[in-house]
Amino acid sequence: MKGLFKSKPRTPVEVVRQTRDLLIYANRSPDTREAKREEKMSELSKLIRELKQILYGNSEAEPQAEACSQLTQEFFKENTLRLLITSLPKLNLETRKDATQVVANLQRQQVHSRLIASDYLEANIDLMDILISGYENQEMALHYGAMLRECIRHQTVARYVLESQHMKKFFDYIQLPNFDIAADAAATFKGSNRSRFLVEMVLRISLVLELLTRHKSTVAEFLSKNYDWFFAEYNTKLLESTNYITRRQAVKLLGDMLLDRSNSIVMTRYVSSRDNLRILMNLLRESSKSIQIEAFHVFKLFAANQNKPPDIVSILVANKSKLLRLFADFKTEKEDEQFEADKAQVVKEIAAL
């Protein structure tokens, strides 16, 4: 007879409320009855998976806008996000992944044309401190990092992170062991561990990339106010890093920042520094073609500057023949008309010195 009476599906609001209740339970001190706790944590995992299915849909059905709206409203009505973030270390790996996807999706959900996640985070901005601190926990870094990257889609959150003391820590968080294919590295970081560290590194760099390119006016203001310490750290810890991945991503990001019109004042200041020029010229000599090409896109700004300081001119003149020889054979893997035009202009500028 039981089969005749199927249980009524839970509404999105009910799923959020039951999830919240179990998150409160998970945050309490461990229950002395281990079997009961395991049962409740298992149910919590099912609920978080159900939240993900409502937001993302599944193989049988697309997500429903009304269900997503109801879920989002209920989720941010109380402190469900805070509970989920603080409870994350207590969840198993698969549930952490589901929870990370739920948080990421909720940052994009609009209710009555408003991103209510942005309003909630502005009122609970200290959650960013928790997410950033999570980078220090190797087991949680990937999950908290992915959540943080989605949260900085909101300009108020990005501004808070940029202006906080945490910003200086990002340069240290990005520093991970060198994973060049060498005997020591291969012996130390084998298989899945090595892959996980590489994924962590790419995620951390991509987070900084997102932070420094998404909200242009906020980034321009930050760079202008914090130019000295920011680029001192950027040059020494990223552009001159011993890690190939870090150098490659850092020089690409530098080009993206300096070539953005909103950062024109910062760009002019950067290309007036002989120390910066020295670093870029060293990157042009890299064996990696990818790094060389990205370094060229920054170097061309030094060459194109019509108000070069005398010490910049003297360095370029002293290295004139070497640079012209380098650019004579300097090509991209695929034919690129814009690159060739830029290179011709750089060669013209240097030859005229």
Side-chain angles (χ1 to χ4, degrees):
M1 292 292 289
K2 281 185 180 178
L4 297 175
F5 302 99
K6 292 183 178 179
S7 59
K8 185 180 177 182
R10 289 179 283 215
T11 67
V13 170
E14 288 171 338
V15 177
V16 174
R17 287 176 180 171
Q18 290 174 30
T19 301
R20 186 186 302 135
D21 289 342
L22 286 178
L23 286 170
I24 292 170
Y25 171 83
N27 263 323
R28 291 204 299 258
S29 54
D31 199 304
T32 52
R33 291 167 291 180
E34 190 61 34
K36 180 183 177 184
R37 183 172 180 82
E38 282 185 16
E39 180 184 335
K40 286 187 175 290
M41 294 303 287
S42 176
E43 177 61 21
L44 176 57
S45 293
K46 291 175 184 176
L47 286 163
I48 292 173
R49 192 175 309 121
E50 194 169 342
L51 289 174
K52 187 179 84 168
Q53 288 174 348
I54 294 170
L55 292 168
Y56 287 92
N58 53 38
S59 58
E60 298 175 1
E62 291 291 315
Q64 300 299 308
E66 181 57 30
C68 291
S69 178
Q70 290 175 15
L71 186 157
T72 304
Q73 284 181 285
E74 183 63 30
F75 197 93
F76 290 111
K77 191 180 291 182
E78 295 187 41
N79 273 336
T80 311
L81 179 60
R82 181 179 295 276
L83 287 166
L84 187 57
I85 288 172
T86 55
S87 299
L88 207 65
K90 298 181 174 73
L91 306 179
N92 64 47
L93 179 59
E94 288 306 312
T95 306
R96 288 175 191 169
K97 291 178 182 177
D98 288 341
T100 300
Q101 289 182 278
V102 167
V103 172
N105 187 289
L106 286 169
Q107 305 313 310
R108 299 180 174 92
Q109 290 291 337
Q110 294 193 20
V111 178
H112 306 308
S113 301
R114 283 189 65 82
L115 288 167
I116 61 175
S118 180
D119 297 334
Y120 177 86
L121 290 174
E122 188 171 359
N124 295 271
I125 200 69
D126 65 293
L127 286 175
M128 297 306 101
D129 301 331
I130 297 172
L131 293 180
I132 296 170
S133 297
Y135 269 109
E136 295 172 8
N137 181 334
Q138 197 169 300
E139 287 188 7
M140 303 307 302
L142 279 175
H143 309 296
Y144 280 150
M147 288 183 181
L148 180 62
R149 183 176 178 185
E150 292 300 323
C151 289
I152 61 176
R153 295 170 62 87
H154 311 301
Q155 191 159 6
T156 53
V157 174
R159 180 179 290 110
Y160 172 79
V161 175
L162 284 169
E163 293 177 353
S164 72
Q165 288 302 306
H166 295 301
M167 192 60 203
K168 293 184 179 181
K169 292 182 181 179
F170 277 118
F171 293 105
D172 295 318
Y173 290 150
I174 288 174
Q175 299 304 301
L176 284 175
N178 191 356
F179 290 110
D180 289 338
I181 308 301
D184 288 346
T188 307
F189 301 103
K190 290 182 179 178
S192 60
N193 278 343
R194 186 174 184 277
S195 298
R196 178 165 55 82
F197 281 126
L198 285 169
V199 170
E200 274 188 37
M201 170 170 282
V202 172
L203 177 65
R204 293 175 187 201
I205 294 172
S206 66
L207 172 61
V208 175
L209 173 65
E210 183 83 2
L211 193 58
L212 292 170
T213 56
R214 175 172 283 276
H215 306 288
K216 298 184 185 303
S217 60
T218 300
V219 171
E221 182 183 348
F222 165 78
L223 292 176
S224 294
K225 286 182 179 177
N226 298 276
Y227 180 93
D228 289 329
W229 76 260
F230 177 84
F231 282 107
E233 293 280 284
Y234 198 96
N235 287 348
T236 57
K237 292 186 175 178
L238 302 187
L239 292 179
E240 295 184 304
S241 168
T242 57
N243 189 288
Y244 162 75
I245 297 175
T246 301
R247 293 196 308 279
R248 188 183 70 187
Q249 296 292 333
V251 70
K252 183 181 188 309
L253 172 55
L254 179 64
D256 291 342
M257 286 191 293
L258 297 183
L259 287 164
D260 193 300
R261 289 182 181 179
S262 59
N263 295 326
S264 59
I265 295 174
V266 170
M267 182 272 287
T268 301
R269 186 173 177 185
Y270 191 89
V271 301
S272 297
S273 163
R274 61 179 296 157
D275 289 335
N276 295 341
L277 177 58
R278 175 186 57 79
I279 291 170
L280 265 298
M281 288 175 66
N282 284 336
L283 290 169
L284 281 172
R285 296 166 56 202
E286 286 260 2
S287 58
S288 163
K289 197 70 175 177
S290 297
I291 291 180
Q292 281 188 317
I293 297 298
E294 296 299 342
F296 170 77
H297 288 306
V298 179
F299 177 81
K300 69 185 180 186
L301 299 174
F302 287 89
N305 182 9
Q306 297 304 303
N307 296 301
K308 299 180 186 70
D311 54 351
I312 295 291
V313 174
S314 64
I315 291 174
L316 292 175
V317 169
N319 292 274
K320 182 175 177 177
S321 58
K322 291 180 182 177
L323 288 167
L324 292 177
R325 281 200 303 273
L326 171 68
F327 292 134
D329 298 318
F330 202 53
K331 295 178 182 177
T332 54
E333 290 183 3
K334 294 181 181 179
E335 196 170 318
D336 186 332
E337 290 184 8
Q338 185 59 55
F339 174 81
E340 291 299 327
D342 288 346
K343 188 180 75 169
Q345 184 61 37
V346 168
V347 168
K348 181 181 176 182
E349 292 285 349
I350 294 173
L353 291 173

